[in-house]
């Protein structure tokens, strides 16, 4: 039971109450800017207790105190006949975001959803991989419903008789302004349980509310540095020799590679799984893993959690499994500590102890006709619905705790998550494969405290291949998933050079990406996020514009509309992907000056620009004074203690600063304070020229930085210091 102590569901909840503070209309402040209320008798398990969240109270304290963001009397929570009815107010101009990983739309006002873990099926109806019951308002607050039930949400659609802001009745016969959807002033939610726990997160901005939600959930994961390098998933029936050959081919062709993913065929049987090596394809796993490690490459293993009768785990776990099978395999009830322990020991003995760096946890989301039905019975007594809503969380938690127990970081893939899962080192993916919708999913991931990769599998043309590849390089996992297609980065010779250039750019960006992930971990700021979390796209800006009778310029119009095809990568980079067939696109640049990432040239300022970047380039912009620390490209991310040289880029004419994060990149020693933030500053000297400084590493703290070169991209001066 060593690693799974915390998995006894419900225990962690007591820690959530320690900070109980002031009461506002029945709401208790449990951390600065975070309020909780319990109505009726909520059923167990809830999402936060399944995830075993450990709120980052110190970071929440730093965000400071704010007022309760809503008028408590406008919130209604009623428990009637074993169901909970919730209502939260909406103002006229307010927009809301979130409710999980959706793919088509960003604005949530006006939608009706049933939040239900599932493989995304092409509609934003609540059925998705991470239907997180959290929404955030551009008026600067967030609401989280801590329930593992299927929740029905009416986000600004229902109209009540007693609404203080009820729409006027109109006659459709004669009134051409008759609205099909009358105005609604509330978000309403039905929880099919006789009680519920709810949290409200204060602002003042939407970004602050998101940060508080993520910090309360334990902060974002800090990936190992290698997790941000490039990864290739190989065809399902590859042998160990073929994997080694493929890794050599990457090196020969000059493509960076940090980890390889083995798909179902590494196992003796799959769907259902043995979770044991196939000895014909992998005759000697320890020496295979050792060879790969010598080549600087880690291995990630595909799994699903349905256990085959041919697995040595089968008979032990059988008593702890549900009434139904999935592909003929038994379904462990992972809410039972013994079942979790058996599962965990099996992975540990057969793979993790041999040096496997992580997992891809497949098929824990849906579809309904594959997974257990809602009539299944589980030995814990929890309902099939609750297991469905939390299975991805349970699997992430079990595997994360295993790696944590070994003081080794992991970085993996998962197809289901939920509220409370923000701190798990997993990135969500799916089989849906729409490039445009994959970008919208990146934006929505930022509102829900999850990570998403727009993975690349195959393409019809070199153009599509390159366009998809360019965006995956600006995502939490730079990956080709060739399990079925066998594609390689060089599969389209006409764009091979450009593909290599972006794979290398990904490696160059590692210091920046790693620091942005550190901000996710320590401060709760999502590293990939939509424009509506940025200043200039929020409620106040909109209201200001409408107060002054909105100017008829494109920017003022653009910020009222959904922006679902461009996003931020960290604080300084705005990424505007190009899709197959496009030769130009519009980009909405926030207020302040913005510069072209590649050339440093001025691009625009609080306006909508049209760009024609050509096939070989994905438009990326940097804010004025923006600093982007980059490194000399390497084939593999630098390991613990390996020094890397920095090229620090500065954009625009303004002075700027940046905090660069550094630690060993592989272990959890940072939890003991063994990390450093290096302050980078670019200031104007007496002669009026820009000059860069980087602070020295604190004594006794990690220092992996070698030589530093400064590149002033806009003023075009190259200076060498140190
Ligand atoms: C799918 C998964 C793919 C691949 C495949 C292997 O469910 O989404 O990425 O792993 O299984 O059978």
């Amino acid at each position: 039971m060593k690693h799974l102590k915390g998995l006894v569901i419900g225990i962690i909840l007591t820690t959530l109450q320690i900070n109980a503070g002031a009461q506002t209309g029945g709401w208790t402040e449990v951390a600065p800017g975070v309020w909780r209320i319990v109505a009726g008798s909520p059923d167990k398990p809830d999402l936060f207790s399944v995830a075993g969240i450990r709120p980052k109270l110190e970071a929440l304290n730093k965000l400071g105190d704010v007022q309760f963001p809503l008028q408590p009397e406008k919130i209604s929570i009623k428990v009637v006949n074993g169901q909970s009815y919730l209502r939260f107010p909406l103002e006229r101009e307010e927009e809301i975001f979130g409710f999980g990983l959706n793919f088509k739309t960003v604005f949530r006002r006006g939608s009706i959803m049933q939040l239900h873990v599932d493989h995304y099926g092409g509609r934003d109806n609540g059925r998705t991989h991470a239907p997180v019951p959290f929404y955030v308002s551009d008026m600067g607050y967030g609401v989280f419903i801590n329930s593992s039930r299927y929740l029905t949400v009416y986000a600004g659609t229902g109209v009540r008789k007693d609404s203080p802001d009820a729409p006027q009745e109109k006659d459709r016969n004669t009134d051409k302004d008759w609205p099909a959807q009358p105005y609604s002033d509330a978000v309403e939610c039905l929880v099919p349980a006789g009680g519920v726990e709810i949290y409200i997160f204060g602002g003042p901005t939407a970004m602050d509310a998101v940060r508080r939600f993520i910090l309360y959930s334990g902060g974002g994961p800090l990936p190992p540095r290698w997790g941000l390098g490039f990864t290739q998933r190989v065809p399902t029936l590859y042998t160990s020799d073929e994997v080694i050959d493929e890794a050599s081919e990457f090196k020969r062709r000059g493509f960076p590679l940090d980890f390889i993913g083995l798909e179902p065929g590494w196992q003796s049987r799959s769907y259902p799984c043995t979770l044991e090596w196939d000895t014909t394809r992998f005759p000697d796993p320890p020496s295979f893993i050792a060879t790969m490690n010598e080549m600087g490459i880690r291995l990630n293993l595909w799994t699903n959690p349905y256990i085959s009768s041919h697995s040595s785990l089968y008979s032990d776990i059988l008593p702890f499994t549900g009434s139904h099978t999935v592909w003929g395999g038994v379904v462990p009830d992972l809410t039972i500590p013994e079942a979790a322990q058996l599962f965990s020991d099996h992975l540990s003995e057969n793979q993790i102890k041999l040096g496997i760096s992580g997992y891809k946890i497949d098929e824990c989301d849906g579809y309904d006709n594959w997974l257990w039905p809602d009539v299944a019975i589980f030995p814990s007594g929890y309902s099939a619905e609750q297991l469905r809503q939390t299975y991805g969380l349970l699997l992430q938690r079990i595997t994360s705790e295993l790696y944590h127990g070994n003081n080794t970081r992991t970085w993996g893939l998962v197809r289901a998550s939920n509220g409370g899962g923000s701190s798990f080192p997993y990135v969500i993916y799916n089989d849906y494969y729409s490039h445009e919708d994959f970008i919208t999913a990146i934006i929505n991931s930022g509102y829900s405290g999850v990570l998403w990769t727009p993975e690349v599998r195959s393409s019809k043309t070199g153009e599509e291949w390159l366009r998809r590849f360019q965006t995956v390089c600006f995502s939490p996992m730079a990956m080709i998933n060739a399990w079925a297609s066998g594609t390689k980065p060089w599969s389209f010779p006409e764009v091979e050079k450009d593909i290599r250039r972006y794979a290398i750019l990904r490696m160059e960006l590692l210091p920046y990406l790693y620091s942005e992930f550190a901000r996710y971990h320590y401060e709760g700021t999502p590293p990939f996020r939509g424009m509506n979390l940025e200043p200039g796209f929020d409620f106040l800006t909109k209201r200001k514009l409408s107060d002054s009778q909105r100017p008829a310029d494109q920017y003022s119009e653009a910020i009222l509309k959904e922006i679902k095809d461009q996003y931020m990568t960290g604080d300084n980079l705005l990424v505007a992907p190009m899709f197959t067939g496009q030769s130009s696109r519009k980009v909405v640049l926030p207020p302040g000056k913005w510069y072209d990432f590649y050339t440093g040239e001025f691009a625009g300022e609080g306006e909508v620009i049209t760009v024609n970047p050509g096939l070989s380039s994905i438009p990326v912009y940097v804010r004025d004074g923006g600093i982007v620390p980059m490194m000399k490209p390497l084939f593999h991310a630098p390991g613990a203690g390996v020094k890397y040289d920095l090229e620090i880029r500065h954009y625009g004419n303004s002075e700027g600063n940046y905090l660069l994060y550094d630690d060993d990149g592989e272990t959890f020693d940072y939890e003991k304070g063994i990390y450093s933030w290096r302050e980078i500053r670019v200031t104007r000297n007496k002669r009026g020229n820009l000059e860069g400084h980087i602070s020295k590493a604190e004594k006794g703290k990690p220092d992996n930085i070698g030589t530093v070169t400064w590149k002033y991209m806009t003023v075009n001066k190259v200076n060498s210091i140190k």
Side-chain angles (χ1 to χ4, degrees), residues 236 263-264 271 302 360 362-363 415 429-431 455 457 481 483:
T236 190
E263 287 287 316
Y271 294 82
W302 178 98
K360 166 172 170 177
D362 206 30
E363 307 291 2
R415 248 182 37 194
Y429 65 98
N430 72 6
D431 292 341
E455 64 166 42
R457 293 187 170 194
N481 178 9
W483 75 278

Side-chain angles (χ1 to χ4, degrees), residues 4-18:
L4 297 175
K5 271 187 286 187
L7 210 75
V8 182
I9 295 202
I11 281 190
I12 306 291
L13 202 68
T14 50
T15 62
L16 303 187
Q17 291 162 354
I18 48 174

Side-chain angles (χ1 to χ4, degrees), residues 366-442:
Y367 296 100
D368 281 0
N369 42 345
W370 290 340
L371 259 52
W372 62 88
D374 285 352
V375 293
I377 305 281
F378 284 88
S380 61
Y382 292 138
S383 66
E385 167 188 354
Q386 291 171 307
L387 265 288
R388 178 79 174 261
Q389 295 293 73
T390 57
Y391 217 63
L393 287 178
L394 287 161
L395 288 158
Q396 291 180 79
R397 181 167 175 194
I398 290 168
T399 46
S400 303
E401 289 184 358
L402 265 172
Y403 281 98
H404 193 265
N406 288 344
N407 196 23
T408 312
R409 281 184 240 172
T410 181
W411 198 236
L413 290 152
V414 72
R415 248 182 37 194
S417 194
N418 213 326
S422 299
S423 72
F424 295 134
Y426 282 93
V427 180
I428 304 172
Y429 65 98
N430 72 6
D431 292 341
Y432 176 63
Y433 215 52
S434 155
H435 189 193
E436 284 87 342
D437 293 358
F438 272 14
I439 302 310
T440 306
I442 292 192

